[in-house]
Amino acid sequence: MINRDDMLELTRRMTPSRNCFSRVAGAYMDEDGFDNGTFNVHFGKLGAAETKQKLDMAKAVIFSNTNENLKDYGFGKNRKESLWPLLMTLKENGLKDDAMLATLYEIIGENYRASGEYCIFLFYGSYDVPVKAKDKSWLEGSEEVYDFIICAIAPLEGEYEPGEPEFGFLFPAFADRSSDIDNIYIYHSDDNPAQTEFMNVIIGR
């Protein structure tokens, strides 16, 4: 089960003044799953309006209804049959490898079922997890640095204009205020129930 407080803690670091993201990458896909253009930029180079748009996209995934729209899934023993190796590599290189990103876009294009054109946004963030006392007060110091990727997939409502995210994930899971590389949190909107085929590709079932 996902702890709602853990997700709220992360979203507090997703504001223009307290931004935990260093990079955003993505692709614009046609209805057949082929990309019509990609981008990969340092988050700090975005303008104010674009920064807010991207932050809203990322927060929509992890600020959704916990354990309803956002659920916890394990990769199981056979990680080679899942996206785990690819996601680990992308996390470790901070989304800086365009060839690996192209591989992910291709996999999504082959397996994600969309009714029209859509976009894929990927965010790389780092959160210096502060120490918490037993009474839940904040202490000085850090427990660990949590490096993570958020994916948000949304329909396009106009030329390069994303709508509300319909699918996405947070990897690794953020459990008990710590990184859990054995699990991933997968999101789907109320209007777009979880796509079983695509989810099975992600977790390797």
Side-chain angles (χ1 to χ4, degrees), residues 2 18 64 69-70 77 92 143 153 168 171 173 176 179 194 198:
I2 301 172
R18 303 180 71 187
S64 57
N69 299 105
L70 184 69
K77 296 180 180 180
E92 290 166 359
E143 294 183 344
I153 300 177
F171 175 82
D176 297 323
S179 178
F198 183 46

Side-chain angles (χ1 to χ4, degrees), residues 93-185:
N93 65 41
L95 299 183
K96 293 179 180 179
D97 189 326
D98 286 328
M100 299 297 288
L101 286 167
T103 298
L104 179 60
Y105 302 148
E106 184 177 351
I107 292 171
I108 293 175
E110 290 175 350
N111 296 279
Y112 186 78
R113 299 294 169 246
S115 58
E117 295 182 338
Y118 62 99
C119 59
I120 305 165
F121 285 179
L122 293 166
F123 304 85
Y124 173 73
S126 296
Y127 174 41
D128 199 0
V129 184
V131 178
K132 234 181 185 182
K134 291 183 179 180
D135 63 359
K136 296 187 177 182
S137 62
W138 300 104
L139 303 176
E140 291 188 10
S142 172
E143 294 183 344
E144 69 169 286
V145 176
Y146 169 60
D147 297 321
F148 62 96
I149 293 171
I150 289 177
C151 173
I153 300 177
L156 288 175
E157 296 184 341
E159 188 174 5
Y160 301 113
E161 287 297 325
E164 292 293 323
E166 292 185 340
F167 198 91
F169 59 76
L170 168 67
F171 175 82
F174 188 56
D176 297 323
R177 306 183 68 244
S178 182
S179 178
D180 178 4
I181 62 172
D182 295 320
N183 288 60
I184 184 171
Y185 295 163

Side-chain angles (χ1 to χ4, degrees), residues 4-205:
R4 178 71 172 175
D5 288 340
D6 288 346
M7 298 300 96
L8 293 175
E9 184 174 338
L10 281 183
T11 59
R12 294 189 190 103
R13 271 65 182 179
M14 297 179 189
T15 67
S17 60
R18 303 180 71 187
N19 174 34
C20 63
F21 295 122
S22 59
R23 185 159 292 273
V24 57
Y28 297 94
M29 313 291 284
D30 67 21
E31 59 186 9
D32 296 318
F34 296 100
D35 80 74
N36 287 325
T38 63
F39 64 92
N40 189 347
V41 298
H42 191 282
F43 206 90
K45 293 184 178 180
L46 301 177
E50 196 172 5
T51 293
K52 183 181 184 304
Q53 179 203 61
K54 298 295 192 294
L55 289 172
D56 287 345
M57 292 283 289
K59 287 190 290 187
V61 172
I62 64 171
F63 198 59
S64 57
N65 294 327
T66 308
N67 302 307
E68 294 180 23
N69 299 105
L70 184 69
K71 296 182 180 180
D72 185 10
Y73 294 88
F75 285 98
K77 296 180 180 180
N78 194 3
R79 290 175 174 173
K80 292 182 179 179
E81 301 300 322
S82 72
L83 290 189
W84 187 89
L86 178 58
L87 294 177
M88 281 295 293
T89 300
L90 289 171
K91 180 182 78 73
E92 290 166 359
N93 65 41
L95 299 183
K96 293 179 180 179
D97 189 326
D98 286 328
M100 299 297 288
L101 286 167
T103 298
L104 179 60
Y105 302 148
E106 184 177 351
I107 292 171
I108 293 175
E110 290 175 350
N111 296 279
Y112 186 78
R113 299 294 169 246
S115 58
E117 295 182 338
Y118 62 99
C119 59
I120 305 165
F121 285 179
L122 293 166
F123 304 85
Y124 173 73
S126 296
Y127 174 41
D128 199 0
V129 184
V131 178
K132 234 181 185 182
K134 291 183 179 180
D135 63 359
K136 296 187 177 182
S137 62
W138 300 104
L139 303 176
E140 291 188 10
S142 172
E143 294 183 344
E144 69 169 286
V145 176
Y146 169 60
D147 297 321
F148 62 96
I149 293 171
I150 289 177
C151 173
I153 300 177
L156 288 175
E157 296 184 341
E159 188 174 5
Y160 301 113
E161 287 297 325
E164 292 293 323
E166 292 185 340
F167 198 91
F169 59 76
L170 168 67
F171 175 82
F174 188 56
D176 297 323
R177 306 183 68 244
S178 182
S179 178
D180 178 4
I181 62 172
D182 295 320
N183 288 60
I184 184 171
Y185 295 163
I186 297 179
Y187 161 81
H188 69 88
S189 68
D190 290 325
D191 296 330
N192 182 27
Q195 302 187 26
T196 303
E197 180 181 350
F198 183 46
M199 286 177 57
N200 288 342
V201 171
I202 293 175
I203 60 180
R205 289 183 181 174

